[in-house]
Amino acid sequence: MAISVHGPIGGMEYPMLCFNGGRPEKDGTYSGRTKYGMIGVIIHEVGHNFFPMIMNSDERQWSWLDEGLNSFLKYLAEQEWERNFPSRLGEPASIVEYMRTDKSLQSSIMTNSESALQFGNNAYAKPATALNILRETVMGRELFDHAFKTYAQRWAYKHPAPADFFRTMEDASAMDLDWFWRGWFYTTDRCDLALESVKVYQPATGNPVVEKARQQQAPAAAAPSISAQRNAQDIAQTLVEEKPELKDFYNGFDPLAVTPADQQRYRAYLAALSPEQQKRLGGPQYFYELALRNVGGLVMPVIVQLTYADNSKEVQTIPTEIWRKNNAQVTKIIVTQQSVVSFVLDPFQQTADTDLSNNAFPRQPAASRFELFEQQQAAAPNPMQSAAQNTGSPR
């Protein structure tokens, strides 16, 4: 049982009782912010009956173990209350502005609550976002929910510390999450993964008909040098053109012509391959080498979206272990059956990447809008008041 009472403050919890602020206007109307703020604060304060009242963690020492976990659960409850509920905390994109601030203005989540800078972000927003990322991107919903429920059951009434939470999540999921706790809870590093370059390779077929035709097309596709362009105009006739007797065998030799000897060598080459190797050699294959850099210092899984030449898309998730030997820069080979026209990192903004300008290759301009003139506006009525003025009823 939990009782929610209207009070003069935003929200405050006690065992089985909480006080929550927020009231409609005198005419009975209210803004959307007031509505969703009230729903959210009631969910949050009532939720405190479990975290920390039943868990009984030390809020003075580790506020995030109370407020952060409760804010995360509040986010889940809000989304079950109403589809696309405008939650203020939980979504990775909502923590980006805080995480891109200078490190001198941040504290790690594990800082003592009375010493932490930006207490709201440190104790509420960042841990709530971290747990959402852990659930959606790192562990998956089913495994995370099992591990989190195990923590709630195992440590009820037992005064858990952060280490108890970390160990239980790993023990119940059989996952090594040390890298995640270190980055998100013990440092002020931010997620900023950059796709610096992409190189494409195609295996040679060995077929002289295919390979020599490709070699013929390459010079034709390339623009001639500035010297070659000017020589074509300035040199009316070369010496060999003027005196044909200067020509020899090589003036008529075509190194890219397919000869019987070329075809014989190719047949011998195919005969030495297994049927599987022959099949692989005959199909289209593209090898893309992605150069990745960890600019922000926080290692995270690499989510990359591939857009193919036919405009179809594929999303691949590369586990965090890709950074295990070098957490600053790595390369990743992706093999496809058709050509890729673009790569985009974190297309759904699920890792709280703080700089999206370096996530795409080829680079994509960042869209932005700005006001040409500053406009001073009087306080506008809330939508319910506007509707009442137009129709006579806010309903």
Side-chain angles (χ1 to χ4, degrees), residues 268-316:
Y269 169 67
L270 286 180
L273 299 179
S274 66
E276 182 181 353
Q277 290 173 324
Q278 293 181 16
K279 181 179 179 180
R280 189 184 309 125
L281 189 67
Q285 279 188 312
Y286 298 84
F287 292 77
Y288 291 95
E289 181 185 271
L290 279 60
L292 302 165
R293 180 175 293 275
N294 182 5
V295 180
L298 187 64
V299 295
M300 288 293 289
V302 180
I303 299 97
V304 56
Q305 177 179 272
L306 290 66
T307 301
Y308 294 104
D310 63 359
N311 208 35
S312 62
K313 299 180 187 296
E314 178 188 0
V315 176
Q316 296 187 14

Side-chain angles (χ1 to χ4, degrees), residues 2 18 41-53 70 73:
C18 57
V41 75
I42 292 175
I43 292 173
H44 183 93
E45 304 305 342
V46 170
H48 274 305
N49 281 273
F50 200 92
F51 294 102
M53 304 305 176
N70 196 43
L73 295 174

Side-chain angles (χ1 to χ4, degrees), residues 13 48 52 57-64 66-67 113 124:
E13 75 279 6
H48 274 305
S57 55
D58 188 346
E59 182 180 2
R60 290 291 186 183
Q61 181 69 19
W62 315 112
S63 288
W64 71 266
D66 160 20
E67 299 292 359
S113 300
Y124 292 72

Side-chain angles (χ1 to χ4, degrees), residues 203-270:
T205 63
N207 188 337
V209 176
V210 175
E211 296 304 319
K212 290 193 173 184
R214 182 184 58 79
Q215 294 177 42
Q216 289 175 344
Q217 294 171 357
S225 69
I226 189 65
S227 296
Q229 295 179 45
R230 291 171 178 170
N231 289 339
Q233 297 178 352
D234 296 345
I235 302 176
Q237 193 175 29
T238 65
L239 195 60
V240 171
E241 292 171 342
E242 181 181 349
K243 297 180 179 182
E245 63 270 20
L246 295 177
K247 295 182 178 181
D248 67 356
F249 168 81
Y250 290 101
N251 291 106
F253 173 69
D254 183 3
L256 297 181
V258 179
T259 66
D262 292 332
Q263 295 177 330
Q264 183 178 359
R265 283 192 293 270
Y266 178 59
R267 287 193 293 269
Y269 169 67
L270 286 180

Side-chain angles (χ1 to χ4, degrees), residues 43-44 51 64 66-79 87 89-91 123-136 140-141 144-145 148-149 165 169:
I43 292 173
H44 183 93
F51 294 102
W64 71 266
D66 160 20
E67 299 292 359
L69 269 60
N70 196 43
S71 295
F72 165 68
L73 295 174
K74 166 178 170 280
Y75 167 75
L76 298 184
E78 288 173 343
Q79 297 308 308
S87 299
L89 306 179
E91 285 289 350
Y124 292 72
K126 187 177 178 182
T129 302
L131 293 178
N132 186 33
I133 292 174
L134 188 63
R135 182 176 188 251
E136 298 285 15
R141 290 188 171 188
F144 176 93
D145 292 351
F148 196 88
K149 184 177 180 180
F165 174 66
M169 292 296 292

